[in-house]
Amino acid sequence: MAQVPQTFFDALAVRTWCGLALESLGRAREEIDAINVYPVADGDTGTNLYLTVESAVAAVEAVFTAYDVGRPTLADAARAMAHGALIGARGNSGTILAQLLRGMAQVLAADGETAHTDGSGLRLALRHAADSARQAVAHPVEGTVLTVASAAADAADAADGAEGDDCGAVARVAYEGARAALAATPGQLAVLERAGVVDAGGRGLVAVLGALVETFTGEAAPVVVSGAHTRVEPDAEECADAPDVSGPAFEVIYLLEAEDAAVDRLRERLDGLGDSLVIVGGDGLWNVHVHVDDAGAAVEAGVEAGRPYRIRITHFGAGDVHTTGAERPPRERAQRAVVAVVPGEGLAGLYGEAGATTVLARPGEPPASGELVQALRRAHAREVVLLPNDAELRHTAAAAAEQARAEGIRVALIPTRSAVQGIAALAVHEPDRRFDEDVVSMTSAAGATRYAEVAVAERQSWTMAGICQAGDVLGLVDGDVAVIGTDVTTTAETVLDRMLSAGGELVTLVLGDEAPETIAEHLEARVREAYLAVDTVVYRGGRQGALLLIGVE
C-alpha cells in the first residue's frame, strides 16, 4: 500500500520518516547483520541501527502523545528524534547515525526568519548532518557510512534547482547519490572487496534515506543489492576507523553528562587509549564509544569528564578477528543462559558475576523489546531464562521472548517484578539440570521473595496509604505504597518490619547511590536484634532510581 506523501518538512513528516525508517531497517536487519565484516565480523550492525531508530521513534511518539490538541512543532519533533537516537544509540554505526540525525535536527529546528521546511532546507540539513558526523569520528575512513552520508549531501548540493526544490526531489537525488556511493565501498576498503559485500553501516543509512524518499513521494525506494555473497556470524559491529589486526579487546559505550571543554579533553584521552573513537551529542549530553584494552581506564576518563551512566562493556573475546587479525570459527552456543534486566550498574556487576547477560534499565528509560531480543541473541545459548525484574516490562519481555523463539531459541520468561526477586531466582539457577526443572526452581524462588522499595515522591498523588506530597518518602511493598514518611531510614525500618512480620529467613538490601550512608548498618542491626535466625546481605546498586530495594525470602 502506497504511503501518503508529505509535501514539506513538519512534525508529521519527522514522525512518518522515523516510522518508515524503522520498518525499512526491520526488513533489512538480518541482511545488514550478515554483511558486517568490517572491522569485526560479529554481525550486529543491522540490529544496532534498528535499536537506535527504535529509540528515536519512541521519543517522537512521546512528543505527539503529550499534545491532547494539535500537534508538536517541527522543532519539537526534530529535537525529540535526535535526543531519542542519542540516548538509544547502539554500537559504532548507531552512534554515527545518531549524530547524522542530530545534525539534521539542528538545521530543521533552527530559529530564523526562514523555516527550513522545503527542499532547500532538506539540502542544508543533509550537508550539516554529513559534516557533523565526520567531525565526531576521531579518524574517519573512506568506504564507510561516513562516505555514504557525504555522497548523499554532495548529490543534493550538485542538483540544486536542477531537479526541483521540493523535499521529494531532494530526497530522491540524495538517495541515489548514497546508493551509488554504497556500491563503490568495496573498492575503498579491501576487507569489503574480499568478502564481496558493501559496507554494512552505509547499507543501513541507504535504508534510512530510502524511507525519507517514501515519506515525501509515497513511493518505495529501489531495492539495494548488498553484495555478491553474504556471511552470517554473531554480534558484529560497523566501525568508522581502519581495522587493526592487533586491536583492543573491549568495546566501551556510555552516556555522559559533561561540558564541552571536558569532552574535548576526554576525546584526547580516549584517542590515546584505543581506537574506533566516536563521541556524539552536545548541550551537556554525549554518547561515547571507543575500543580499548583497558576498559576501566576508559570509564575513569568519563568520570573525570562528567557523569557517565548506562555503561556497556563488551569483551571481543579470545581469538576474535579484532584481536588476532584472523577469521575465527563460529562460537559454539552454550546450552543455557540467563538474561536479566537490572536497574543499576552495581546490580549489573552482581548479575554479571553470576553469569547472567544483563540489560541496564535507567529510571524513565525502560528497554525496548528490540534491546531484549538483542540480549537474548547475545547470550548465545540454546536455552535462555529471561528475568524482566519489573512488572511493567512483562509485555515487552513477552514480545522479545516470542521473537527469540521464532529464531529457534528456547526461552522461559520468569515474571520477576523486582531485581531482588531476580537475585533469588539466580541463586538457585543450575544450568546442568533439565531446563524445565531449572525454570520451576527459579520461578519458585522468585515467587517466595517479597519485594519492596523506598523512594522519594516526585509529585502529589493518591496512594493506597493516603495522599503523598512531592518530597515525601514512600515505602512500597509488592508494588503498592504501604508507608508515607519524612525520613528515609525510619520509613525503611517500618517497611522491613511489615515484611518480616509474616516471617522470613533472608533479607536482601540493595542500596542506591543516594541512600543515607548509615541505613544499611541501621537495618542490619534491626534484623539482628528483633528477628532471630534471619540473615542479611547488602549490595550496592548504583544509580538505580530507588533509594533502597528490599527482598525477604
Side-chain angles (χ1 to χ4, degrees), residues 154-466:
D154 291 343
D157 288 342
D160 188 357
E163 302 290 336
D165 209 28
D166 62 281
C167 287
V170 173
R172 194 184 298 278
V173 168
Y175 174 79
E176 292 300 337
R179 195 157 68 117
L182 177 66
T185 55
Q188 296 172 295
L189 279 177
V191 65
L192 300 179
E193 187 173 25
R194 286 194 300 270
V197 297
V198 297
D199 177 68
R203 170 66 181 89
L205 178 58
V206 168
V208 172
L209 292 174
L212 188 65
V213 173
E214 188 172 357
T215 297
F216 290 113
T217 68
E219 300 174 1
V223 175
V224 175
V225 177
S226 296
H229 63 275
T230 60
R231 165 175 75 185
V232 180
E233 298 181 28
D235 298 59
E237 180 126 340
E238 162 69 20
C239 197
D241 281 352
D244 180 356
V245 297
S246 59
F250 294 95
E251 176 189 59
V252 178
I253 305 172
Y254 49 80
L255 291 178
L256 177 70
E257 294 177 358
E259 300 297 325
D260 290 6
V263 171
D264 289 340
R265 293 191 296 272
L266 175 66
R267 198 184 304 272
E268 293 181 8
R269 174 88 178 273
L270 293 180
D271 195 25
L273 285 175
D275 62 27
S276 300
L277 173 61
V278 185
I279 301 179
V280 303
D283 302 319
L285 180 63
W286 309 82
N287 192 307
V288 179
H289 174 285
V290 67
H291 293 177
V292 293
D293 278 324
D294 190 342
V299 174
E300 288 171 7
V303 172
E304 292 175 5
R307 187 177 79 88
Y309 61 102
R310 290 185 70 168
I311 301 167
R312 295 180 180 85
I313 299 174
T314 302
H315 185 253
F316 288 121
D320 196 297
V321 289
H322 190 69
T323 56
T324 68
E327 293 186 13
R328 65 176 180 183
R331 179 163 55 98
E332 179 67 22
R333 284 185 178 273
Q335 181 60 35
R336 191 173 309 158
V338 176
V339 170
V341 180
V342 292
E345 292 89 351
L347 281 178
L350 174 66
Y351 274 75
E353 289 174 4
T357 296
T358 60
V359 177
L360 194 61
R362 299 301 307 165
E365 300 175 10
S369 62
E371 188 170 0
L372 296 185
V373 172
Q374 186 188 37
L376 290 168
R377 295 187 187 115
R378 195 170 69 244
H380 204 59
R382 298 181 182 87
E383 303 166 340
V384 181
V385 179
L386 177 57
L387 306 175
N389 291 340
D390 186 337
E392 296 185 0
L393 282 178
R394 63 186 183 278
H395 296 305
T396 301
E402 282 302 313
Q403 174 64 38
R405 290 180 189 124
E407 297 177 8
I409 304 172
R410 187 180 184 188
V411 181
L413 173 60
I414 296 180
T416 49
R417 294 171 290 173
S418 169
V420 291
Q421 288 189 321
I423 291 173
L426 201 55
V428 300
H429 169 55
E430 292 186 15
D432 293 332
R433 65 184 163 194
R434 290 180 56 248
F435 185 63
D436 291 339
E437 293 178 358
D438 197 29
V439 171
V440 168
S441 178
M442 295 176 72
T443 302
S444 177
T449 302
R450 299 191 68 198
Y451 65 96
E453 68 177 74
V454 177
V456 177
E458 297 181 355
R459 62 184 67 86
Q460 183 188 62
S461 62
W462 291 87
T463 76
M464 297 288 289

Side-chain angles (χ1 to χ4, degrees), residues 9 14 17 52 56 74-75 77-86 94-111 116 120-136 146 149 153 205 208-209 212 279-283 285-286:
F9 239 127
V14 172
W17 179 33
T52 301
L74 170 60
R79 290 181 183 127
M81 171 186 70
H83 180 73
L86 178 68
T95 306
I96 294 172
L97 178 60
Q99 185 66 9
L100 287 166
L101 295 179
R102 176 181 169 80
M104 293 192 70
Q106 287 175 326
V107 173
L108 297 174
D111 296 327
H116 296 134
S120 178
L122 176 55
R123 190 178 289 113
L124 289 173
L126 290 168
R127 169 52 59 197
H128 186 63
D131 292 346
S132 61
R134 190 169 287 268
Q135 292 167 5
L146 298 176
L205 178 58
V208 172
L209 292 174
L212 188 65
I279 301 179
V280 303
D283 302 319
L285 180 63
W286 309 82

